[in-house]
Amino acid sequence: MPAMEAIQTVERLPSMRQGQEGLAALALVREELALVEQKMRSLGDVGFAPLAEAFLKILESGGKRLRPAVTILSARFYPCPLEPLISLAAAVETLHTATLVHDDVIDNALLRRGTPTLNASWSHGTTILAGDYLFARAASFAAEAANVRLMHIFARTLMIIVDGELRQLFSLRNWQQPREEYYRRIFAKTASLFSAACESGAVLSGAPEPHVQALKDYGYHLGMAFQIMDDILDFTGDDAALGKPVGNDLRQGTLTLPAFYYLQAHPEAAASLEAELRSGDGGVERVVALIRNSPAIERAHEEARHFADQAKASLMPLPDNPYRQAMASLADFAVAREK
Ligand code: IPE
Ligand code: IPE
Ligand code: MG
Ligand code: MG
């Protein structure tokens, strides 16, 4: 597919269109993102037709493409060859996609990006294998960049993500866990990938170590802000705008920051929470509404904004240029977004 046509493909992605104001910063890397899209379409080349179809459907369902965007932006402070950069950014987004495929099985989620998930029609075992295929494809995209340090970053990040998802599963329905556990989990499942995306973009461009570190720190703080906001939206958003089921964290028994602050302010609620959540007659919706209308939301939001500010502060050692400005506005977007 020629580059121009690929750009148009990106413009057609539904969620890119709706989020355009917030994602205006991505205009700077629009052409590269179109090439990433084109590269990822090779997922449709897999010989087994049902798998190829499933992958293309997931790709076409859109997504904000934030992780490849920060990968590319991070590589733009120093001259960076285009081809390995596109492979790297495709690797990052494919890794993200694989974690979503597995996450929706784990979270029993039937909707993602407004489209039925793979596990809505496939068995869990089959869906997990499709996710495994995507992990392997992500690794092979990354290998195309022919840089051993990047392979180390990738492998380590995947280990951290799996560790985070497992920790989450092992702490389900534990409403009294320390707040530190929450931070550890969201670092593992989300911030680690944002951080790795930025770090690997910087490494590929040959940035000096202090700048690699600055971008890695930016990615970490951006990812923390992003996941806290995702956890807030699970209370304040609506299914249609988010394209995924709200209230699902509580439904699954996952303690997130808004619920943590609510329970801290109402320790007496912890005892009845479990029974309320398990009562089939709208119990989850009642608890979601309680938390949504409580000051816990604003407290969590304040914290997300604090992480976003730290993300912007991390950029300070870097030259002030349009790439740095775009990254700063992405940090603002992460905590102002509605999807
Ligand atoms: C969803 O990530 C998973 C989390 C880490 C919260 P995104 O909100 O970036 O998902 P897409 O790719 O835009 O659909
Ligand atoms: C992100 O957490 C998990 C991954 C790293 C895939 P969530 O479980 O909150 O993500 P959503 O809300 O399903 O997108
Ligand atoms: Mg989930
Ligand atoms: Mg979520």
Side-chain angles (χ1 to χ4, degrees):
M1 193 193 306
M4 214 32 232
E5 208 179 304
I7 291 170
Q8 283 155 5
T9 305
V10 168
E11 282 171 344
R12 277 201 304 273
L13 292 175
S15 53
M16 293 280 288
R17 217 172 25 243
Q18 287 158 18
Q20 222 147 40
E21 327 77 58
L23 296 177
L26 299 193
L28 204 55
V29 289
R30 204 168 64 122
E31 289 183 26
E32 291 93 330
L33 282 178
L35 294 171
V36 172
E37 215 60 39
Q38 184 180 342
K39 176 120 208 147
M40 287 179 73
R41 285 196 72 82
S42 67
L43 283 167
D45 298 343
V46 44
F48 187 49
L51 203 54
E53 251 170 62
F55 290 155
L56 289 176
K57 221 169 102 195
I58 294 177
L59 273 183
E60 278 155 18
S61 69
K64 296 178 286 297
R65 306 295 193 250
L66 283 184
R67 295 158 189 79
V70 293
T71 309
I72 294 161
L73 286 167
S74 296
R76 282 292 175 236
F77 291 87
Y78 294 89
C80 183
L82 185 63
E83 211 174 311
L85 179 58
I86 299 306
S87 300
L88 175 64
V92 168
E93 183 65 11
T94 306
L95 179 62
H96 166 59
T97 310
T99 68
L100 294 182
V101 168
H102 279 185
D103 183 68
D104 288 333
V105 172
I106 294 166
D107 290 347
N108 282 306
L110 302 179
L111 202 69
R112 161 87 53 196
R113 298 168 174 167
T115 304
T117 53
L118 208 46
N119 52 291
S121 50
W122 287 15
S123 72
H124 284 183
T126 326
T127 310
I128 293 294
L129 284 171
D132 288 348
Y133 187 99
L134 289 173
F135 278 120
R137 190 63 181 107
S140 82
F141 279 141
E144 285 178 28
N147 181 318
V148 175
R149 186 169 167 195
L150 294 186
M151 293 312 289
H152 281 295
I153 296 173
F154 250 74
R156 203 178 53 233
T157 306
L158 185 48
M159 290 189 275
I160 295 173
I161 294 174
V162 173
D163 173 277
E165 289 277 86
L166 277 170
R167 275 175 196 280
Q168 178 164 308
L169 283 173
F170 275 83
S171 63
L172 288 185
R173 310 209 166 273
N174 175 358
W175 306 111
Q176 255 128 26
Q177 51 187 298
R179 194 162 53 137
E180 289 64 39
E181 273 303 307
Y182 169 77
Y183 297 124
R184 180 198 267 238
R185 266 199 325 263
I186 67 168
F187 158 68
K189 69 178 193 175
T190 300
S192 66
L193 182 55
F194 275 97
S195 182
C198 295
E199 181 186 7
S200 39
V203 165
L204 193 65
S205 74
E209 280 314 308
H211 286 181
V212 172
Q213 188 60 45
L215 287 160
K216 184 179 171 185
D217 288 349
Y218 163 84
Y220 164 78
H221 289 108
L222 176 70
M224 296 296 279
F226 188 83
Q227 183 64 48
I228 294 176
M229 198 59 209
D230 183 81
D231 294 340
I232 293 173
L233 288 169
D234 201 62
F235 289 94
T236 63
D238 68 87
D239 293 28
L242 284 179
K244 57 186 183 183
V246 299
N248 219 36
D249 292 335
L250 277 184
R251 201 170 290 118
Q252 295 305 315
T254 303
L255 179 73
T256 60
L257 201 56
F260 178 90
Y261 282 136
Y262 181 81
L263 287 171
Q264 194 177 53
H266 304 273
E268 75 292 348
S272 54
L273 185 77
E274 192 57 39
E276 180 76 335
L277 289 178
R278 282 185 188 277
S279 78
D281 60 341
V284 172
E285 289 70 20
R286 278 195 297 279
V287 181
V288 166
L290 267 181
I291 298 179
R292 182 176 55 229
N293 297 317
S294 79
I297 296 294
E298 181 44 31
R299 255 191 101 176
H301 204 214
E302 229 168 73
E303 229 172 276
R305 286 195 299 266
H306 184 64
F307 275 113
D309 287 342
Q310 286 177 291
K312 289 192 272 184
S314 306
L315 295 171
M316 286 308 141
L318 295 159
D320 189 5
N321 60 23
Y323 303 111
R324 192 178 102 174
Q325 287 152 21
M327 294 180 94
S329 58
L330 275 183
D332 289 329
F333 165 75
V335 291
R337 66 200 175 98
E338 286 171 7
K339 58 177 288 183

